Amino acid sequence: MRIGVLTSGGDCPGLNAVIRGAVLKGTAVHGQEFLGIRDGWRGLVEGDVHPLTRHDVRGLSKQGGTVLGTSRTNPFDGPHGGPENIRATMDRLGMDAVIAIGGEGTLAAAKRLTDAGLNIVGVPKTIDNDLDATDYSFGFDTAVEIATEAIDRLRTTGDSHRRCMVVEVMGRHVGWIALHSGMAAGAHAILMPEQPQSIDQIVKWVESANNRGRAPIVVVSEGFTLDTMETAHSEKGLDAFNRPRLGGIADVLAPIIEERTGIETRATVLGHIQRGGVPSAYDRVLATRLGMAAIDSAVAEQWGTMIALRGTELVHVPFQEALGGLKTVPQDRYDEAAILFG
Amino acid sequence: MRIGVLTSGGDCPGLNAVIRGAVLKGTAVHGQEFLGIRDGWRGLVEGDVHPLTRHDVRGLSKQGGTVLGTSRTNPFDGPHGGPENIRATMDRLGMDAVIAIGGEGTLAAAKRLTDAGLNIVGVPKTIDNDLDATDYSFGFDTAVEIATEAIDRLRTTGDSHRRCMVVEVMGRHVGWIALHSGMAAGAHAILMPEQPQSIDQIVKWVESANNRGRAPIVVVSEGFTLDTMETAHSEKGLDAFNRPRLGGIADVLAPIIEERTGIETRATVLGHIQRGGVPSAYDRVLATRLGMAAIDSAVAEQWGTMIALRGTELVHVPFQEALGGLKTVPQDRYDEAAILFG
Amino acid sequence: MRIGVLTSGGDCPGLNAVIRGAVLKGTAVHGQEFLGIRDGWRGLVEGDVHPLTRHDVRGLSKQGGTVLGTSRTNPFDGPHGGPENIRATMDRLGMDAVIAIGGEGTLAAAKRLTDAGLNIVGVPKTIDNDLDATDYSFGFDTAVEIATEAIDRLRTTGDSHRRCMVVEVMGRHVGWIALHSGMAAGAHAILMPEQPQSIDQIVKWVESANNRGRAPIVVVSEGFTLDTMETAHSEKGLDAFNRPRLGGIADVLAPIIEERTGIETRATVLGHIQRGGVPSAYDRVLATRLGMAAIDSAVAEQWGTMIALRGTELVHVPFQEALGGLKTVPQDRYDEAAILFG
Amino acid sequence: MRIGVLTSGGDCPGLNAVIRGAVLKGTAVHGQEFLGIRDGWRGLVEGDVHPLTRHDVRGLSKQGGTVLGTSRTNPFDGPHGGPENIRATMDRLGMDAVIAIGGEGTLAAAKRLTDAGLNIVGVPKTIDNDLDATDYSFGFDTAVEIATEAIDRLRTTGDSHRRCMVVEVMGRHVGWIALHSGMAAGAHAILMPEQPQSIDQIVKWVESANNRGRAPIVVVSEGFTLDTMETAHSEKGLDAFNRPRLGGIADVLAPIIEERTGIETRATVLGHIQRGGVPSAYDRVLATRLGMAAIDSAVAEQWGTMIALRGTELVHVPFQEALGGLKTVPQDRYDEAAILFG
């Protein structure tokens, strides 16, 4: 069996460990051959591949990013896209199956291609941890760790100057990174897309921390929005939330907090440092196991399924189940964290 | 309600986060008071306690060790030990309940005291991750991360000198730290108590890696033993396994590997650096949640239970269930890792 | 002798180590007493002090920020400011001398006060490393280390997506942090205040790296400005450099590079994470030694001097020498780094 | 000009950065060609080389170990060794000069070869920082950082259990790593080869820390020896110092301290983790600059010299000067640190 491997969408710590896990298991246990597909679906559509041997994946478990490259190409677009063309390309390359490592968009495309008869198994990738079918996805732990270390650092500056520090972490649609890094680092307010808040509430949290002699730490997901009712009556300053802007939402929030509380306030947007570099041990183990389990799926010809983590076990779930819905932070987890705000 | 908190047994990253989580939730939600019990059961037996306020637990989530101190005192020993004396001490201090944070020995003692009518809830602590009732215990993730980083470092030395590096990690009875750090860092052999191996097999793994041009990495749990059949016929050198010695098992293993393979071999015993210092974000979140959940147990008067992690949820399980058995590395997890040895 | 200690200006990793070094040496060797002065000159002007014992400085060498607090108060301002009032306050407190830890502004104020007869010795603090009298100042090494780790992380994202990554580091007036972190992390362009460049030159470096198959890394000091000739003829987009804005200069530069090169480009502004948190070992050693040397200055009554590092030795230099000029990155150091741009 | 590059002796963080610096400068500025010499002098003697291009050194500044391999081969040994044979080999390979990166042994051999007419320039490498001619050598900063982080971790365990922690760091002949890591981490005793101490003195330091309520931290260089007078009258336990043994000197010292003080004492031998892995930013900058400066030496035909750091400048010094003597920790630096012991 000759298997192609592709990584698609935003990069994520652990992608290389998935690739390595798949190649090591496939070659050692099943005598499979592997082709590295360059830049996600683009490489599959264009037949841009190269052999991927045991030797090529040496030392990859600790390497951030993806050695295969990635892109956001849609495999249904262009003159060579779509299931018929891709099938022809795979036949030409002698590629029996594809392991597609990617997020919801990638898995949705993989589902359509599988429905059209192509042999694809999936490995879920979302640094935001927003895929409902799996307890955790690789990359998330590393992102939380990096964010937590950064907040630890910012705290000493806040304490020394008695400043409020606003830290923006990743999370366009869900607040998992904010929740975990905020809990880990002892934030006094955690703001996330699932829980719109008013400026009044934010100010209340900041002042409460300040009144207890603490330098307030506010952790905010990039996708946080103000409570809509308030936005309707918003003052001029709040318009900044909805305008295109340089910088992040923390850059908008910080001056508003400073103006409302009189407490000197500084913004930090962590940005891409959360998704690059050496993966945590947790992510390396999870990603390696996912890559190995994808081989089991391919050998069992479970096309149209992806691997998910449930507790400490890996299970195979149909793409459609995985695509069900966004895994948001549930109310009880938010309430639990909010107890710590003080 | 006035609650005493104690930490018992070996220290573990996250102990302070449990204490903080309990105190913050208990004071904020239930208006409880807290007493810090010094040095584990010793402080309870001797009534050596101090008030533990919200202020006292500031910034503790990131602090390694335990601010309460710890010991291995048995609460049934001595003139003031045993359930009757402890009950009298608790009455004198106005202490309504105890949160006991500790490993299997601590929980076994807690069970006996609860059976005798004392109000105790438990939080499991085992850096080795060897408690069957919970998916993971806090401290384990930090230990794996530290061990993985250390092995990453040793690899570059091995590669430069074409040496075999033997790394000893914690794990007296189980191989979880070896399994995870070995997988994460790409070890060529992982040796653990659950899987006795012969020197012949170890030599085979080392030579196989060497023949592929790799500097062999051997990760070994402190509790690993040689396959007993072989030990029976052991050469002189192998006696070193069973004698009292300075250093660790890696110090014994390295010269044997060197002698048998002719490959220069070096030992490193990671030791206590795996259990100290700043906890990982994963452990801080888990530990904080455990501390908060212990308050729920106390409020619900679920004496004689401890908190366990199942998937992403915390559940309350009776002590007896938790004390069932050692959680060893199952065969399929070991086999999965062994595929990567090459 | 009773000595007051104050920290003034922006916080910096190592401030607490200086305080600890001074208190430990002063108490152990000379039997001195210490007073902690709160929030820089403010505390001296207002007589807001507290005893600072050996016990108070325990474990401080590794703690970021300053336990004394800091501010940007000018000691000549307000009804209680100025040398006469401060002398009276010092007399009232029995404070014989002051160790002032701060940057150029702090040292300039200290000089004026010393000229008016007050007993002050200085310890230079500048995270930007811009003080001419000393080879290195504490905090700089930590900042470079944090920036370097961040750039390492960003590189893997750049490589995976074939993006250009623009990273903004501290340095309002000098480019030392950019120079060192850029060299350490292998940047393809380093932009700093001392070396204004045109957009054309920046584009050339970016395209050169891209043409060699590298994901271009641009490290830019916050104080970098475009070559003025070009700015005079600037296109609309370049105006953004000179307008008040949210975010940093990297946020301005990235879209211009993307537009000019066609290479997807992302900005990261590291900001305050560079100045907080645990100091590097280098900074702890340097800061501890500076604190101890300040005691020697006080005992020798070398008022009006500060401690400087020359090679591996600490020397005492008059404030006026220290205030001479900004230590900019010399041309030969920039040229040396530029060889690596490719 | 075609230049060979070799790394010799124990590996050290920064070796790869030296190689990269030399190759980038040599190719970009002087159009030189490079040959990588495998495994130190062995590769030169045997003519075991490979081309080393700009492409080959990509990303090397952050990579630990040496991509060229290393060995302890003496270039004067064997049938192909000695200046005449090596000259012939160099001629055959068209190799005009050699950059030799190594410690005192390497530089001594390089001196003899240069005296015999070969074109060699040196770059000093000693992780122990024991070379007199240079302020600091690359690798030392990384080793100190790793040791310091490890001691920070051990401290929390010591505090929780009220144990004495004995930590062994590198340093066969000099105590620089012990001095710096011990100062940085707040050790209560620092033991080094330059300062033999009696058990009585060590016990005194340990008890003094313990009496102040601290968990004693003892940092010991691997090359530390007991004060000889005392050893002459040593009790049985002290014999362990002089016998061949598994483990390190910390393993010997810990039980003696425990027996003498009654304080539970644990040993940790950091070993090889101090010399592997990602170099600190400081070491990357220093090593990169050294590599570039070695090219200047070669272009100027300054054979028989090595590059040294003086303050912030790099200078060229004759081998003989560099080989003068061991750079030990001077008495005043030890006394300075000892003030902190308490």
Side-chain angles (χ1 to χ4, degrees):
Chain A
M1 194 183 255
R2 184 179 291 165
I3 299 178
V5 183
L6 66 80
T7 54
S8 178
D11 73 317
C12 191
L15 284 169
N16 284 324
V18 177
I19 298 166
R20 173 177 171 271
V23 170
L24 288 185
K25 179 158 190 180
T27 52
V29 177
H30 303 291
Q32 294 163 336
E33 288 177 20
F34 287 85
L35 293 171
I37 300 170
R38 289 197 182 89
D39 300 339
W41 296 115
R42 186 197 65 73
L44 185 61
V45 166
E46 300 180 6
D48 186 3
V49 303
H50 56 89
L52 196 60
T53 68
R54 181 179 185 86
H55 184 273
D56 295 321
V57 300
R58 275 189 183 186
L60 279 197
S61 69
K62 68 187 285 272
Q63 196 171 314
T66 165
V67 291
L68 299 178
T70 182
S71 70
R72 301 192 188 271
T73 303
N74 182 329
F76 291 91
D77 287 351
H80 304 293
E84 293 316 308
N85 288 327
I86 292 175
R87 185 198 311 272
T89 302
M90 288 176 64
D91 287 349
R92 180 169 57 80
L93 298 168
M95 193 189 289
D96 302 301
V98 171
I99 297 174
I101 313 166
E104 191 162 25
T106 303
L107 298 175
K111 181 180 185 316
R112 284 179 62 194
L113 293 172
T114 312
D115 289 348
L118 298 191
N119 297 345
I120 307 181
V121 296
V123 175
K125 171 208 67 78
T126 152
I127 202 162
D128 289 348
N129 199 37
D130 60 2
L131 215 53
D132 203 29
T134 190
D135 280 3
Y136 292 107
S137 50
F138 68 88
F140 171 66
D141 184 71
T142 305
V144 170
E145 190 66 38
I146 294 170
T148 300
E149 285 177 24
I151 305 169
D152 285 350
R153 290 199 173 275
L154 295 170
R155 176 185 294 282
T156 62
T157 292
D159 284 341
S160 300
H161 291 267
R162 287 184 158 263
R163 279 181 191 152
C164 172
M165 305 301 278
V166 181
V167 194
E168 179 175 327
V169 299
M170 288 192 299
R172 277 187 208 284
H173 306 295
V174 302
W176 288 106
I177 293 177
L179 181 80
H180 279 238
S181 62
M183 278 188 85
H188 302 102
I190 300 176
L191 308 177
M192 57 180 66
E194 296 91 330
Q195 299 278 347
Q197 304 285 356
S198 66
I199 289 289
D200 282 347
Q201 176 61 65
I202 299 169
V203 162
K204 206 166 138 189
W205 280 322
V206 167
E207 290 182 334
S208 163
N210 188 60
N211 291 341
R212 295 197 312 278
R214 313 299 303 273
I217 305 273
V218 178
V219 176
V220 56
S221 304
E222 58 183 329
F224 170 74
T225 53
L226 284 181
D227 181 277
T228 48
M229 286 303 289
E230 187 186 39
T231 306
H233 303 84
S234 73
E235 312 150 47
K236 213 180 71 186
L238 305 186
D239 291 345
F241 269 82
N242 303 310
R243 284 180 304 176
R245 59 174 184 262
L246 290 178
I249 195 171
D251 292 313
V252 175
L253 214 43
I256 300 175
I257 292 172
E258 180 164 311
E259 192 191 339
R260 287 285 298 272
T261 63
I263 301 165
E264 202 181 14
T265 303
R266 291 287 184 273
T268 300
V269 180
L270 294 182
H272 286 83
I273 60 168
Q274 296 164 87
R275 70 183 324 140
V278 178
S280 71
Y282 181 98
D283 280 337
R284 296 193 215 177
V285 171
L286 174 56
T288 302
R289 294 184 67 203
L290 288 170
M292 295 171 82
I295 295 299
D296 298 339
S297 299
V299 168
E301 305 196 350
Q302 294 181 297
W303 316 124
T305 64
M306 61 157 234
I307 321 294
L309 178 71
R310 300 275 167 82
T312 62
E313 298 302 310
L314 298 181
V315 297
H316 303 260
V317 300
F319 282 156
Q320 65 204 44
E321 186 178 328
L323 298 171
L326 204 63
K327 181 173 66 180
T328 53
V329 174
Q331 189 66 39
D332 64 324
R333 289 296 302 277
Y334 186 76
D335 293 343
E336 183 187 49
I339 290 169
L340 305 168
F341 297 174
Chain B
M1 192 183 254
R2 182 180 291 165
I3 299 178
V5 183
L6 66 82
T7 55
S8 176
D11 71 319
C12 192
L15 284 169
N16 284 324
V18 177
I19 298 166
R20 173 178 171 270
V23 171
L24 288 186
K25 178 158 191 178
T27 52
V29 178
H30 303 291
Q32 295 162 337
E33 288 178 20
F34 288 85
L35 293 171
I37 300 169
R38 288 196 182 88
D39 301 338
W41 296 115
R42 186 197 64 75
L44 186 62
V45 166
E46 301 180 6
D48 185 1
V49 302
H50 56 90
L52 196 59
T53 67
R54 180 180 185 85
H55 184 272
D56 295 321
V57 300
R58 276 190 182 185
L60 279 198
S61 69
K62 70 185 285 271
Q63 195 171 313
T66 164
V67 291
L68 299 178
T70 181
S71 71
R72 301 191 188 273
T73 303
N74 182 329
F76 292 90
D77 287 352
H80 305 292
E84 293 317 308
N85 289 326
I86 292 176
R87 186 198 311 272
T89 304
M90 286 176 65
D91 287 348
R92 180 170 57 79
L93 299 167
M95 191 190 292
D96 302 300
V98 171
I99 297 175
I101 313 167
E104 190 161 26
T106 302
L107 298 175
K111 181 178 186 317
R112 283 180 62 195
L113 293 172
T114 312
D115 290 347
L118 298 191
N119 297 345
I120 307 181
V121 296
V123 175
K125 172 207 67 76
T126 151
I127 203 163
D128 289 347
N129 199 37
D130 60 2
L131 215 52
D132 203 28
T134 189
D135 279 2
Y136 291 107
S137 50
F138 68 88
F140 171 65
D141 184 71
T142 304
V144 170
E145 190 66 37
I146 294 170
T148 300
E149 284 177 25
I151 304 170
D152 284 350
R153 290 198 173 276
L154 294 171
R155 176 186 294 283
T156 63
T157 292
D159 284 341
S160 301
H161 290 269
R162 290 185 155 260
R163 278 182 191 152
C164 172
M165 306 300 279
V166 181
V167 194
E168 179 175 327
V169 299
M170 287 191 302
R172 275 186 209 284
H173 306 296
V174 302
W176 288 106
I177 294 177
L179 181 80
H180 279 238
S181 63
M183 277 189 85
H188 302 103
I190 300 175
L191 309 176
M192 57 180 65
E194 296 90 329
Q195 299 279 346
Q197 304 287 355
S198 66
I199 289 287
D200 283 347
Q201 176 61 65
I202 298 169
V203 162
K204 206 167 138 188
W205 280 320
V206 167
E207 290 183 334
S208 164
N210 188 60
N211 291 341
R212 295 197 313 279
R214 313 297 304 273
I217 305 275
V218 177
V219 175
V220 56
S221 306
E222 58 183 328
F224 170 75
T225 53
L226 283 182
D227 181 277
T228 48
M229 287 302 290
E230 188 185 39
T231 307
H233 303 85
S234 74
E235 312 150 46
K236 212 179 74 186
L238 305 186
D239 290 345
F241 269 81
N242 304 309
R243 283 179 304 175
R245 60 174 183 263
L246 291 178
I249 195 171
D251 292 314
V252 175
L253 214 44
I256 299 176
I257 291 173
E258 180 165 309
E259 190 189 341
R260 286 284 298 272
T261 63
I263 302 165
E264 202 182 14
T265 302
R266 292 287 183 272
T268 301
V269 180
L270 294 182
H272 286 82
I273 61 168
Q274 296 165 88
R275 71 183 323 139
V278 179
S280 71
Y282 181 98
D283 280 337
R284 296 193 215 175
V285 171
L286 175 56
T288 302
R289 294 185 68 204
L290 289 169
M292 296 171 82
I295 295 300
D296 299 338
S297 299
V299 169
E301 305 195 350
Q302 295 181 298
W303 315 123
T305 66
M306 62 157 233
I307 321 294
L309 178 71
R310 300 274 167 83
T312 62
E313 298 301 310
L314 298 181
V315 297
H316 303 259
V317 301
F319 282 157
Q320 64 204 43
E321 185 179 328
L323 298 171
L326 205 62
K327 181 172 67 179
T328 55
V329 174
Q331 189 66 40
D332 66 324
R333 289 297 302 277
Y334 185 77
D335 293 343
E336 183 187 49
I339 290 168
L340 305 168
F341 296 174
Chain C
M1 193 183 255
R2 183 180 291 167
I3 299 178
V5 184
L6 66 82
T7 54
S8 177
D11 72 318
C12 192
L15 283 169
N16 283 325
V18 178
I19 298 166
R20 173 177 171 272
V23 170
L24 288 185
K25 179 157 191 180
T27 53
V29 178
H30 303 291
Q32 294 162 335
E33 288 178 22
F34 288 85
L35 293 171
I37 301 170
R38 290 198 181 90
D39 302 336
W41 296 115
R42 187 197 65 73
L44 185 61
V45 166
E46 301 180 7
D48 185 3
V49 303
H50 56 89
L52 196 59
T53 67
R54 181 179 183 84
H55 184 272
D56 295 320
V57 300
R58 274 191 185 184
L60 279 199
S61 69
K62 70 185 284 272
Q63 196 170 313
T66 164
V67 292
L68 298 178
T70 181
S71 70
R72 300 192 188 273
T73 303
N74 183 328
F76 291 90
D77 287 351
H80 305 293
E84 292 316 309
N85 288 327
I86 291 175
R87 186 198 312 271
T89 304
M90 287 176 64
D91 286 349
R92 178 169 57 80
L93 299 167
M95 191 189 292
D96 303 299
V98 170
I99 296 175
I101 313 166
E104 191 161 25
T106 302
L107 298 175
K111 182 179 185 316
R112 284 181 62 195
L113 293 172
T114 313
D115 289 347
L118 299 190
N119 297 345
I120 308 182
V121 296
V123 175
K125 171 207 68 77
T126 150
I127 201 162
D128 289 347
N129 200 36
D130 59 3
L131 215 51
D132 203 30
T134 189
D135 280 1
Y136 290 107
S137 50
F138 68 87
F140 171 67
D141 185 70
T142 304
V144 170
E145 189 66 38
I146 294 170
T148 301
E149 285 177 24
I151 304 170
D152 284 350
R153 290 199 173 276
L154 294 170
R155 176 186 294 282
T156 64
T157 292
D159 284 341
S160 301
H161 290 269
R162 289 184 156 260
R163 279 181 191 152
C164 173
M165 305 302 278
V166 182
V167 194
E168 179 175 327
V169 299
M170 288 190 301
R172 277 186 209 284
H173 306 296
V174 302
W176 287 106
I177 293 177
L179 181 81
H180 279 237
S181 64
M183 277 189 85
H188 302 102
I190 300 175
L191 308 177
M192 57 180 65
E194 296 90 331
Q195 300 279 347
Q197 304 287 355
S198 67
I199 289 289
D200 283 348
Q201 176 61 65
I202 298 170
V203 162
K204 207 168 137 187
W205 280 322
V206 167
E207 290 182 334
S208 164
N210 189 59
N211 292 340
R212 296 198 312 278
R214 314 297 305 271
I217 305 274
V218 177
V219 175
V220 56
S221 304
E222 57 184 328
F224 169 74
T225 53
L226 284 182
D227 180 277
T228 48
M229 287 302 289
E230 187 185 41
T231 306
H233 303 84
S234 72
E235 311 150 48
K236 213 179 73 187
L238 305 187
D239 290 346
F241 269 81
N242 304 310
R243 283 179 305 175
R245 60 175 183 263
L246 290 177
I249 196 173
D251 292 314
V252 175
L253 214 45
I256 299 176
I257 291 173
E258 180 164 311
E259 191 190 341
R260 287 285 299 272
T261 63
I263 301 166
E264 203 181 14
T265 303
R266 292 286 183 275
T268 301
V269 180
L270 293 181
H272 286 83
I273 61 168
Q274 296 164 88
R275 72 184 321 139
V278 178
S280 71
Y282 181 98
D283 280 336
R284 297 193 214 176
V285 171
L286 174 55
T288 302
R289 296 184 67 205
L290 288 169
M292 295 171 83
I295 295 301
D296 298 338
S297 299
V299 169
E301 305 196 349
Q302 295 181 296
W303 316 125
T305 65
M306 62 158 232
I307 321 294
L309 179 71
R310 299 272 167 85
T312 62
E313 298 302 310
L314 298 181
V315 298
H316 303 259
V317 301
F319 282 156
Q320 64 206 42
E321 186 178 329
L323 297 171
L326 204 64
K327 181 173 65 178
T328 54
V329 174
Q331 189 65 38
D332 65 324
R333 289 297 303 275
Y334 186 77
D335 293 343
E336 182 187 51
I339 290 169
L340 305 168
F341 296 174
Chain D
M1 193 183 253
R2 184 180 289 165
I3 299 178
V5 184
L6 66 81
T7 55
S8 177
D11 72 318
C12 192
L15 283 169
N16 283 323
V18 178
I19 298 167
R20 173 178 170 271
V23 171
L24 288 185
K25 178 158 191 180
T27 53
V29 177
H30 302 291
Q32 294 163 335
E33 288 178 21
F34 288 85
L35 293 171
I37 300 170
R38 288 197 182 89
D39 300 339
W41 295 116
R42 186 196 65 73
L44 185 61
V45 166
E46 301 179 6
D48 186 2
V49 303
H50 56 89
L52 197 58
T53 68
R54 182 179 182 84
H55 184 273
D56 295 321
V57 300
R58 275 191 184 184
L60 279 199
S61 69
K62 69 186 285 271
Q63 196 171 313
T66 163
V67 291
L68 299 178
T70 182
S71 70
R72 300 192 189 272
T73 303
N74 183 329
F76 292 90
D77 287 352
H80 306 292
E84 293 316 309
N85 289 327
I86 291 175
R87 185 198 311 271
T89 304
M90 287 176 65
D91 287 347
R92 180 169 57 80
L93 298 167
M95 192 189 290
D96 303 300
V98 170
I99 297 174
I101 313 166
E104 192 163 23
T106 302
L107 298 175
K111 182 180 185 316
R112 284 180 61 195
L113 293 172
T114 312
D115 289 347
L118 299 190
N119 297 345
I120 306 181
V121 296
V123 175
K125 172 207 67 79
T126 151
I127 202 162
D128 289 346
N129 199 36
D130 60 3
L131 216 51
D132 203 29
T134 189
D135 279 3
Y136 290 107
S137 50
F138 68 88
F140 171 66
D141 184 72
T142 304
V144 170
E145 189 67 38
I146 295 170
T148 301
E149 285 177 24
I151 304 170
D152 284 350
R153 290 199 173 275
L154 295 170
R155 176 186 295 281
T156 62
T157 292
D159 284 341
S160 301
H161 291 268
R162 289 184 155 259
R163 279 181 192 152
C164 172
M165 306 300 279
V166 182
V167 194
E168 180 175 325
V169 299
M170 288 191 300
R172 277 185 209 284
H173 306 295
V174 302
W176 288 106
I177 294 177
L179 181 80
H180 279 237
S181 63
M183 277 189 84
H188 303 101
I190 300 176
L191 308 177
M192 57 179 67
E194 296 91 330
Q195 299 278 347
Q197 304 285 356
S198 67
I199 289 288
D200 282 349
Q201 176 61 65
I202 298 170
V203 162
K204 206 168 138 188
W205 280 322
V206 166
E207 289 182 335
S208 164
N210 188 60
N211 291 341
R212 296 197 312 280
R214 313 298 304 272
I217 305 273
V218 178
V219 175
V220 56
S221 304
E222 58 183 329
F224 170 74
T225 53
L226 284 182
D227 181 277
T228 49
M229 286 303 289
E230 187 185 42
T231 306
H233 303 84
S234 73
E235 312 151 45
K236 211 179 73 187
L238 305 187
D239 291 344
F241 269 81
N242 304 310
R243 282 180 307 175
R245 60 174 183 263
L246 291 177
I249 196 172
D251 292 314
V252 175
L253 214 44
I256 299 175
I257 291 173
E258 179 164 313
E259 192 189 340
R260 287 284 298 274
T261 63
I263 301 166
E264 202 181 13
T265 303
R266 292 286 183 275
T268 300
V269 180
L270 293 182
H272 286 83
I273 61 168
Q274 295 164 87
R275 71 183 322 139
V278 178
S280 71
Y282 181 98
D283 279 336
R284 296 193 215 176
V285 170
L286 174 56
T288 302
R289 295 184 68 203
L290 288 170
M292 296 171 82
I295 295 299
D296 299 339
S297 299
V299 169
E301 305 197 349
Q302 294 181 297
W303 317 124
T305 65
M306 63 157 233
I307 321 295
L309 179 71
R310 300 273 167 83
T312 63
E313 298 302 310
L314 298 181
V315 298
H316 303 259
V317 300
F319 283 156
Q320 66 205 42
E321 185 178 329
L323 298 171
L326 204 64
K327 181 173 66 178
T328 54
V329 174
Q331 189 66 38
D332 64 326
R333 289 297 303 277
Y334 186 77
D335 293 342
E336 182 188 49
I339 289 168
L340 305 168
F341 297 174

